[in-house]
Amino acid sequence: MAELFAKAQGYSRGRGGSMHIADVAAGVLGANGIVGQSMGLGIGAALSIQVQNRPNVVVAFFGEGASGAGIAHEAMNMAAIWKLPIIFFCEANRYAELSPFSTHVSLEHISDRASAYGFPGETVDGEDVFAVYRSVRAAAERARAGGGPTLIEAKTYRWHGHYEGDPQFYKTADERKNGQAFDPIARMKANVGVIAGLTPERLAEIEGNADAVIRSAADWADGLQSAPASAMHEDVYAESAHATA
Ligand SMILES: Cc1ncc(C[n+]2csc(CCOP(=O)(O)OP(=O)(O)O)c2C)c(N)n1
């Protein structure tokens, strides 16, 4: 919350915002705005795990748009050759920026690409929390046992536009109106009783506790002083000559 509110106590000292959350101590190496880079950074992290003989597994998240970037293919190839402990996790949400899936992907399933590198690829229902969990768990077990990478494609749906105020003219009017019917959280709540044996009361209690944690984090962050403007240029390694002209 401090990072979202641009406060100095944020993970990236308030300079990254929502797109650059990193918490290295928790194993979150950092999101970045360069499409596809999670895979390049991910195989580096996976190589370090392998060299140090640690039991961790990397999960590199990316979209179907990123799956066509050069770095995706280089990273998957190297991960396959070195049998790196990494899961390539594609959130295939039907749109890349303003482009529908079929305009830039030549296959029905991104997961089919894994066979080109010789490791398993799997398509899961990304709206089903439990299916995703099972699939990731199996891939992590394989990676820990030295079996190398897995490509998981989770089919899901992007509610929002690419940017605030995106009129989403690349969707049909019906889709713009009814798209929110795809809701993995609502679906999980409807199924969790059957699968995990939770009562509606216990589920409401869990939700209430989570809400309270989020609320208190937001209140805490809201009350912090803003990072001083004088600190804005700290950790900047290159500046345009025009900035000082
Ligand atoms: C290397 C690079 N090229 C282009 C962009 C501009 N850009 C930002 S998001 C995006 C589309 C990404 O699509 P996808 O990977 O499907 O992710 P999603 O939109 O679903 O989050 C593009 C092209 C960028 N940030 N980085």
Side-chain angles (χ1 to χ4, degrees):
M1 285 297 174
E3 188 57 40
L4 299 187
F5 288 23
K7 304 294 172 79
Q9 289 83 350
Y11 293 120
S12 308
R13 299 174 63 195
R15 296 172 199 165
S18 63
M19 209 163 72
H20 303 110
I21 294 283
D23 184 6
V24 175
V28 181
L29 301 188
N32 67 83
I34 307 174
V35 166
Q37 292 308 305
S38 64
M39 290 172 270
L41 297 171
I43 58 164
L47 181 61
S48 98
I49 288 168
Q50 190 183 62
V51 167
Q52 295 173 56
N53 208 13
R54 287 189 282 126
N56 309 63
V57 175
V58 174
V59 185
F61 293 94
F62 55 99
E64 77 273 15
S67 78
I71 185 78
H73 305 287
E74 293 179 42
M76 287 188 201
N77 188 47
M78 290 172 91
I81 291 166
W82 294 337
K83 287 211 173 308
L84 297 179
I86 182 166
I87 299 169
F88 295 100
F89 193 95
C90 180
E91 295 169 313
N93 63 7
R94 299 203 211 170
Y95 297 97
E97 221 169 32
L98 317 182
S99 307
F101 190 98
S102 62
T103 63
H104 63 97
V105 181
S106 60
L107 301 160
E108 194 182 335
H109 301 304
I110 300 287
S111 60
D112 288 347
R113 291 183 173 160
S115 65
Y117 305 106
F119 58 80
E122 188 187 354
T123 294
V124 287
D125 179 352
E127 305 271 315
D128 181 341
V129 173
F130 298 104
V132 172
Y133 173 75
R134 281 193 296 271
S135 169
V136 171
R137 187 176 59 183
E141 280 169 6
R142 242 175 47 76
R144 283 201 181 94
T150 302
L151 171 58
I152 298 175
E153 175 194 27
K155 298 275 195 202
T156 183
Y157 179 73
R158 194 186 80 190
W159 280 12
H160 277 276
H162 179 67
Y163 54 89
E164 288 305 325
D166 177 359
Q168 303 187 69
F169 290 139
Y170 44 86
K171 294 182 180 176
T172 63
D174 181 55
E175 197 185 331
R176 283 200 297 273
K177 194 154 162 271
N178 300 314
Q180 296 198 354
F182 298 92
D183 184 347
I185 295 175
R187 199 163 131 193
M188 191 200 90
K189 276 161 70 175
N191 292 331
V192 76
V194 183
I195 297 170
L198 290 182
T199 60
E201 293 74 28
R202 176 72 188 119
L203 192 56
E205 192 188 342
I206 292 170
E207 262 194 305
N209 290 343
D211 282 348
V213 169
I214 294 166
R215 170 54 47 207
S216 90
D219 289 345
W220 167 74
D222 202 19
L224 295 171
Q225 296 239 310
S226 290
S230 58
M232 200 155 62
H233 290 249
E234 282 173 16
D235 304 327
V236 174
Y237 298 108
E239 286 189 50
S240 154
H242 299 292
T244 50

